[in-house]
Amino acid sequence: MKTAKTSQWQRLFSYFAIFLGTFAGTTFGIRVILPPPEIPVVTPKLTTFAATKQNYNTIFIGSSRTYRHIIPSIFDAQLQRRGYNITSYNFGIYAMQLPETYFLLQKILAMKPTGLRYVFIDIDSVNLDIPKENRRTDRVISWHGWQQMPEIYQLIAKQNQSWWQKKQLIQLHATPFLSNIGNLGQADRLFALLAPATTKSLNPGYDTAYKEPGADGYLPLDQENDIIFTARRQEYLAKLDKYQAQVATLAAQEPTQKNRRLKPYEADIIQKLVKAVTDAGATPIFFIHPVLKQEAHLIEAHQKGYIPILLPFNQPAKFPTLYDPDKRYDWYHLNHQGAEQFTQLLADEFASYCHLSLVPCPAKNEK
C-alpha cells in the first residue's frame, strides 16, 4: 500500500525526470539548430582543410610559433627541389597548449585525410590552467565535450600537484564542460540566427586582434598591426641586451640538457599524439622552435622512445641566424624574414631524413 510520503517522492522524481528531459531536449535542439561557433583562426583553418584535404600530404600543428614560423609554400618548394613530393598546410593556432593540440588533431584526423603522410608537431606547454579571460570563450568550451573530459581528468590525475591543486583544476575544467553540454551562453548566437540584421558582433575583445590566416594557414606577426603585438615588439626592442644575454646562456647550457625532467602527464599525452598519428597511417615528426629554453624534457622523451623523430632548433650555435635579433619579432616569435629561414632549415633537416631513408618520402612522380 502506497503511503502519502511515497507518492510525494514519486511525484518529485517524475518532476525531476521531466525537467531533465526538457532540458536535454532543449539543449539538443539548440545544438542542432545553431551552426558551430565561429572561432577565430581555428574555424577558418578547419573549414579550409576540410574542403582541400586531398591536396595535402603534410600538416604542421602547434602553437602560435608554428602559425607564425612555417611557410608551407617555401617548405614544399624546398623539398621538391630535393626530389620529394610534399604538399603541406599550417595548422598552427595562437596560444594553443598541448592538450588542445591533441584534441584539434583528433578533429583533423576525423576528416579522414587519406593522403596524409606526415604530421609535424610543435610541443608547447602542457599546462592545464586556463587564463581567467578565456574560460568562457567558444574556443575553450569547444574542446570540453563528453569525449574530451575523461582524458582531461586523466591528465590532471597524473599532475605532480597536491590534492587541493588537482581539485581546483577539476573545477576549472568543469565550467566549460557544463557550458558545452548545456549550450550555456548561446542565447546571443540563437538571436543572431533569428535576427541577424539587428545583432552586433559575437566575437568582441581580444580575439578580434587576430586576422584570418592565409590560404596555406600561415600569417606572419608582421601583418597583425595590433596594439597588443606592437607593445610586445616594443618591449623586445627595448631589451635587446637582455635577449642576447639569454641567447648566450642557452648556448652555454646546450651540452648538458638536464635542467628539466619529463613528467608523467607529458609522457602520456606525447604517446597519445604519436598513437593518433600512426593509427591514421602517418608519421609523427616532433620539432622544437628556436626558443630561449632547453626543452630538456623533450630530449628525454626522444631518448626514451616516446618521440620517434625530434628536430630541435633551439640551438644558437647550430642555427645562429634564427637567433639574430633582426630575425625576431619579439622574445617568442620570428618575424617574416626569420620564418623564411626557419622554414628552409626545417625542410633541409627533414630532407636529410628522407635522403637517409629514415623516413619514407614520396618522390616527385608519386602522390
Side-chain angles (χ1 to χ4, degrees), residues 161-181:
Q161 295 180 324
S162 67
W163 176 87
W164 174 256
Q165 290 171 314
K166 290 181 180 179
K167 176 176 175 289
Q168 294 292 99
L169 282 175
I170 289 171
Q171 293 174 337
L172 173 64
H173 286 272
T175 299
F177 170 63
L178 293 173
S179 295
N180 185 308
I181 64 170

Side-chain angles (χ1 to χ4, degrees), residues 84 309 350-361:
Y84 303 110
I309 299 174
F350 179 61
S352 68
Y353 274 74
C354 294
H355 181 69
L356 296 172
S357 299
L358 299 174
V359 175
C361 299

Side-chain angles (χ1 to χ4, degrees), residues 67 152-153 260 294 356:
Y67 184 17
I152 290 172
Y153 284 144
R260 168 82 157 79
Q294 285 182 307
L356 296 172

Side-chain angles (χ1 to χ4, degrees), residues 179-345:
S179 295
N180 185 308
I181 64 170
N183 292 304
L184 302 180
Q186 298 301 308
D188 285 344
R189 293 184 60 238
L190 183 61
F191 183 72
L193 182 67
L194 299 175
T198 61
T199 306
K200 296 180 180 179
S201 170
L202 299 180
N203 289 312
Y206 187 71
D207 276 343
T208 59
Y210 291 89
K211 295 180 181 178
E212 286 199 2
D216 59 1
Y218 166 74
L219 183 70
L221 270 175
D222 311 54
Q223 294 182 13
E224 292 287 9
N225 298 324
D226 182 82
I227 188 171
I228 297 171
F229 304 114
T230 301
R232 289 177 183 170
R233 177 154 180 78
Q234 289 174 344
E235 180 185 8
Y236 163 73
L237 293 173
K239 299 180 179 179
L240 282 179
D241 289 346
K242 185 177 179 181
Y243 163 75
Q244 291 173 325
Q246 289 193 16
V247 172
T249 299
L250 175 64
Q253 291 175 342
E254 283 177 356
T256 61
Q257 296 284 343
K258 293 179 181 178
N259 69 331
R260 168 82 157 79
R261 299 304 303 273
L262 182 70
K263 297 174 182 177
Y265 63 88
E266 292 173 327
D268 182 65
I269 198 164
I270 287 170
Q271 291 176 88
K272 287 178 183 291
L273 282 162
V274 170
K275 186 176 187 304
V277 174
T278 54
D279 285 353
T283 300
I285 300 166
F286 292 76
F287 64 102
I288 304 174
H289 287 279
V291 293
L292 295 169
K293 300 180 292 184
Q294 285 182 307
E295 305 288 28
H297 61 301
L298 301 182
I299 304 297
E300 182 182 351
H302 177 53
Q303 292 171 343
K304 289 184 175 180
Y306 302 143
I307 293 178
I309 299 174
L310 179 64
L311 307 178
F313 291 87
N314 57 335
Q315 303 176 53
K318 185 176 180 180
F319 305 105
T321 58
L322 299 179
Y323 288 87
D324 184 338
D326 292 337
K327 304 297 189 300
R328 314 286 291 205
Y329 180 87
D330 58 23
W331 294 82
Y332 313 103
H333 302 93
L334 299 168
N335 58 23
H336 181 64
Q337 188 179 9
E340 289 177 325
Q341 293 202 3
F342 174 70
T343 303
Q344 290 170 356
L345 289 167

